[in-house]
Amino acid sequence: MSDLNLALIGNCNIGALINADGEIVWGCFPRFDGDALFCTLLRGKREADEIGIWGVDVLDKERTEQQYVPDSAVLVTRLYDRQGGAVELTDFAPRFQQHGRIFCPMMLVRRIRRLAGSPRIRLRLRPASQWGAQRASITYGSNHIRYITAQVVLRLTTDASITAVLQEMPFFLENEVTLLLGPDETVQAAVADVGHRFEDETLSYWRDWVRNLAIPFEWQDAVIRATISLKLNAFEDTGAIIAAMTTSIPEAVDSGRNWDYRYCWLRDAYFVVNALNRLSTTQTMERYLSYIINVAAGAPDGRLQPVYRIDGHPALDEETVKTLAGYRGMGPVRLGNLAYLQVQNDVYGSAILAATHVFFDRRMHRPGNDNLFRRLEHLGELAQRVYNEPDAGLWELRGSSRVHTFSSVMCWVACDRLARIAAQLGLSDRVGYWRAHADRMRKEILERAWNAKLGVIGASFGGEGLDASLLLLPELHFLSADDPRFRATMALIEKELKQGDFVFRYSEEDDFGVPQNAFLVCTFWYIDALAATGRKEEARDLFSAMLARRNPHGLLSEHIDPKTGELWGNFVQTYSMVGLINSAVKLSLPWESAF
């Protein structure tokens, strides 16, 4: 049975998920939103002749071990047979500095080394084409095999027997073999030498990158792993940040809540760059800012969609794949996402928040200036125009719209931050202009979102429901954590939305019924609210419980079953990893108090 005890490797161009047996069960080419050449994660029932997988089998296998090389995106799997034989499988996607730029080719590297005994192995490399519809076509030469799909041609270059790979013949592993699966180009050196060099350079890159992080004193390993996973979801070429590597992992058993997350949500991306900035890694934010400015420049009337393709293209037409049964057979498998057609008014605040850092952070190579501010002002004008209009909200309701409080607050955020940026730039007339808009909007939001019957801030203007996103009001500086209105709202969220250790995003019925599983980041928001309201020990206890819910590699998906603790939803989910990082930073003992 499939589960999400998977490891992620990648290089900010492609990514792959590997199960405990060392099988690559998910990977899209030539980039995150491409065809899933490795797709057994969504094939449903496992079959002996399935395609869309890359396996390294040890015959008569007894057990496996798996772990990341510390401070890296390089994975090591050890496979043991019953006769004392053992092999070590090292997996990674190359990423390092070369010729003055980042080298991150469309390539996966697998190095297989004998550790003990006389292990007998079999290689199963079966890329699929057109979403599992057929096996890739094959041509081959003396030391390479070409896999031809509808979108891309990949070349495997190896020092293993080509016959053994093509016919999947078992063979004794005498020493080690190297497999490079990448662009259809000739490798200009010995395969083993290239594999060793790429591994050494990639390890050096990640170790240097991690060394420059400003991590909290406590939970360092958890934060480092979460931060690497966020970095792997940032597309090197354009700066876009995807929500997750996968599509159509259901939010709950047979829920039909199966969505394609391999795109850039402006909201999610803001949370990612904000978390990375807290750890002093600014390059991802700078690249993302370029992406969003280009997206906004091409938007009709400057109006932003909630989500775009990683190349900035606005159309994400949705279709259902008939050739894949879905995760554990729970379809549908969807490509594209109709959320791009929705109105989600919080996007203006998300875009401006992501840009705000560059006006205040002196480390930036290209600090914010008057010209960038003027561009952002157009988004602010849209925000102050739509803040009290109905939308689909951050939870992307497909069957209804209302004036969501979170969306309205994020529109206020857009104007509030523009006033602060204007002050930083010394533009006194614009400070007054944007402060007046922000004050007017805040007054109306507090009046119309207030539910006098319940004595709390409601999820929507005049509505009865609750929404976990209201836990972010102090984080957004809309209300202080000690404001009685926030404390009352938080108390009712505890009562109505918290089940065991987990906080649901909402509890009312939506287009697909009542939510069955908890949205993981909401629990991290609750942890942060506990800390902000002086309940730090409760927050630390709950944070420790959440760390225990990660998979064996320290990764989280989008949802969790509150009864069983099983992970559900698309994986690796950036929202969840952001929540972990933010809570760790807020709760950790300061370095200066640690010794």
Side-chain angles (χ1 to χ4, degrees), residues 14-15 27-38 106-108 151-152 154 181-182:
I14 57 170
C28 296
F29 290 78
R31 62 188 198 187
F32 298 144
D33 58 353
D35 189 7
L37 274 57
F38 302 110
M106 180 188 63
M107 177 182 287
L108 297 176
Q151 282 198 355
V152 68
L154 294 179
L181 182 68

Short mmCIF file of all heavy atoms in Angstrom, two decimals, residues 14-15 27-38 106-108 151-152 154 181-182:
data_model
loop_
_atom_site.label_atom_id
_atom_site.label_comp_id
_atom_site.label_asym_id
_atom_site.label_seq_id
_atom_site.Cartn_x
_atom_site.Cartn_y
_atom_site.Cartn_z
N ILE A 14 13.90 20.11 -11.09
CA ILE A 14 13.07 18.92 -11.02
C ILE A 14 13.08 18.42 -9.58
O ILE A 14 13.92 18.82 -8.77
CB ILE A 14 13.57 17.80 -11.95
CG1 ILE A 14 15.03 17.45 -11.63
CG2 ILE A 14 13.39 18.19 -13.42
CD1 ILE A 14 15.52 16.20 -12.33
N GLY A 15 12.14 17.55 -9.27
CA GLY A 15 12.09 16.92 -7.96
C GLY A 15 11.60 15.50 -8.09
O GLY A 15 10.92 15.15 -9.07
N GLY A 27 8.06 11.77 -10.13
CA GLY A 27 9.00 12.72 -10.68
C GLY A 27 8.50 13.26 -12.00
O GLY A 27 8.15 12.47 -12.90
N CYS A 28 8.42 14.59 -12.13
CA CYS A 28 7.92 15.23 -13.34
C CYS A 28 9.08 15.84 -14.13
O CYS A 28 10.01 16.39 -13.55
CB CYS A 28 6.90 16.31 -12.99
SG CYS A 28 5.39 15.68 -12.21
N PHE A 29 8.97 15.75 -15.45
CA PHE A 29 10.01 16.28 -16.35
C PHE A 29 9.33 17.03 -17.49
O PHE A 29 8.22 16.67 -17.88
CB PHE A 29 10.85 15.12 -16.93
CG PHE A 29 11.74 14.43 -15.94
CD1 PHE A 29 11.22 13.51 -15.03
CD2 PHE A 29 13.10 14.69 -15.90
CE1 PHE A 29 12.04 12.87 -14.12
CE2 PHE A 29 13.92 14.06 -14.99
CZ PHE A 29 13.40 13.14 -14.10
N PRO A 30 9.95 18.07 -18.02
CA PRO A 30 11.31 18.56 -17.74
C PRO A 30 11.38 19.53 -16.56
O PRO A 30 12.46 20.04 -16.26
CB PRO A 30 11.67 19.28 -19.04
CG PRO A 30 10.37 19.82 -19.53
CD PRO A 30 9.35 18.77 -19.17
N ARG A 31 10.24 19.79 -15.89
CA ARG A 31 10.23 20.69 -14.74
C ARG A 31 9.08 20.26 -13.83
O ARG A 31 8.37 19.29 -14.12
CB ARG A 31 10.11 22.16 -15.17
CG ARG A 31 8.82 22.46 -15.92
CD ARG A 31 8.81 23.86 -16.50
NE ARG A 31 7.44 24.26 -16.83
CZ ARG A 31 7.11 25.36 -17.47
NH1 ARG A 31 8.06 26.19 -17.89
NH2 ARG A 31 5.85 25.67 -17.71
N PHE A 32 8.87 21.00 -12.74
CA PHE A 32 7.91 20.59 -11.73
C PHE A 32 6.52 20.29 -12.29
O PHE A 32 5.83 19.39 -11.81
CB PHE A 32 7.75 21.70 -10.66
CG PHE A 32 8.99 22.01 -9.90
CD1 PHE A 32 9.26 23.31 -9.51
CD2 PHE A 32 9.89 21.02 -9.53
CE1 PHE A 32 10.40 23.63 -8.78
CE2 PHE A 32 11.04 21.31 -8.80
CZ PHE A 32 11.29 22.63 -8.44
N ASP A 33 6.06 21.10 -13.26
CA ASP A 33 4.69 20.95 -13.77
C ASP A 33 4.63 20.16 -15.07
O ASP A 33 3.66 20.24 -15.81
CB ASP A 33 4.04 22.32 -13.95
CG ASP A 33 4.80 23.23 -14.91
OD1 ASP A 33 5.92 22.85 -15.33
OD2 ASP A 33 4.30 24.32 -15.22
N GLY A 34 5.68 19.37 -15.34
CA GLY A 34 5.71 18.57 -16.56
C GLY A 34 5.02 17.23 -16.40
O GLY A 34 4.32 16.96 -15.41
N ASP A 35 5.22 16.36 -17.38
CA ASP A 35 4.65 15.02 -17.37
C ASP A 35 5.30 14.18 -16.27
O ASP A 35 6.51 14.24 -16.06
CB ASP A 35 4.89 14.37 -18.74
CG ASP A 35 4.14 13.05 -18.93
OD1 ASP A 35 3.33 12.69 -18.06
OD2 ASP A 35 4.38 12.39 -19.96
N ALA A 36 4.48 13.41 -15.57
CA ALA A 36 5.00 12.55 -14.49
C ALA A 36 5.57 11.28 -15.10
O ALA A 36 4.87 10.28 -15.27
CB ALA A 36 3.91 12.23 -13.49
N LEU A 37 6.86 11.31 -15.44
CA LEU A 37 7.49 10.12 -16.01
C LEU A 37 7.59 9.01 -14.97
O LEU A 37 7.60 7.83 -15.32
CB LEU A 37 8.88 10.48 -16.54
CG LEU A 37 8.95 11.01 -17.97
CD1 LEU A 37 8.10 12.25 -18.17
CD2 LEU A 37 10.39 11.29 -18.38
N PHE A 38 7.67 9.41 -13.70
CA PHE A 38 7.60 8.44 -12.61
C PHE A 38 6.30 8.74 -11.84
O PHE A 38 6.16 9.83 -11.27
CB PHE A 38 8.83 8.54 -11.72
CG PHE A 38 10.11 8.32 -12.47
CD1 PHE A 38 11.00 9.35 -12.71
CD2 PHE A 38 10.41 7.05 -12.98
CE1 PHE A 38 12.16 9.15 -13.43
CE2 PHE A 38 11.57 6.84 -13.70
CZ PHE A 38 12.45 7.89 -13.93
N MET A 106 18.38 18.97 -15.66
CA MET A 106 17.26 18.04 -15.59
C MET A 106 17.83 16.63 -15.46
O MET A 106 17.84 15.84 -16.40
CB MET A 106 16.40 18.17 -16.85
CG MET A 106 15.19 17.27 -16.91
SD MET A 106 14.39 17.33 -18.55
CE MET A 106 15.69 16.70 -19.62
N MET A 107 18.33 16.31 -14.27
CA MET A 107 19.08 15.06 -14.11
C MET A 107 18.88 14.47 -12.72
O MET A 107 18.88 15.19 -11.71
CB MET A 107 20.58 15.31 -14.35
CG MET A 107 21.45 14.08 -14.13
SD MET A 107 23.23 14.43 -14.37
CE MET A 107 23.28 14.61 -16.15
N LEU A 108 18.75 13.15 -12.67
CA LEU A 108 18.80 12.39 -11.43
C LEU A 108 20.02 11.49 -11.49
O LEU A 108 20.31 10.87 -12.52
CB LEU A 108 17.54 11.54 -11.26
CG LEU A 108 16.21 12.29 -11.13
CD1 LEU A 108 15.06 11.30 -11.06
CD2 LEU A 108 16.23 13.20 -9.90
N GLN A 151 6.88 14.65 -24.09
CA GLN A 151 7.38 15.98 -23.74
C GLN A 151 8.89 16.11 -23.76
O GLN A 151 9.41 17.21 -23.93
CB GLN A 151 6.88 16.37 -22.34
CG GLN A 151 5.44 16.83 -22.28
CD GLN A 151 5.14 17.60 -21.00
OE1 GLN A 151 5.97 17.71 -20.10
NE2 GLN A 151 3.93 18.12 -20.90
N VAL A 152 9.60 15.02 -23.57
CA VAL A 152 11.04 15.14 -23.36
C VAL A 152 11.73 13.85 -23.75
O VAL A 152 11.12 12.76 -23.75
CB VAL A 152 11.32 15.49 -21.88
CG1 VAL A 152 10.99 14.33 -20.96
CG2 VAL A 152 12.76 15.94 -21.67
N LEU A 154 14.98 11.66 -22.50
CA LEU A 154 15.99 11.49 -21.46
C LEU A 154 17.01 10.47 -21.90
O LEU A 154 16.70 9.52 -22.63
CB LEU A 154 15.34 11.03 -20.15
CG LEU A 154 14.39 12.00 -19.46
CD1 LEU A 154 13.83 11.36 -18.20
CD2 LEU A 154 15.08 13.30 -19.13
N LEU A 181 20.60 9.90 -15.30
CA LEU A 181 19.42 10.04 -16.15
C LEU A 181 19.16 11.53 -16.32
O LEU A 181 18.78 12.21 -15.37
CB LEU A 181 18.21 9.36 -15.53
CG LEU A 181 16.93 9.40 -16.37
CD1 LEU A 181 17.09 8.55 -17.63
CD2 LEU A 181 15.72 8.95 -15.56
N GLY A 182 19.39 12.02 -17.54
CA GLY A 182 19.27 13.45 -17.73
C GLY A 182 19.04 13.83 -19.18
O GLY A 182 18.46 13.06 -19.95
#
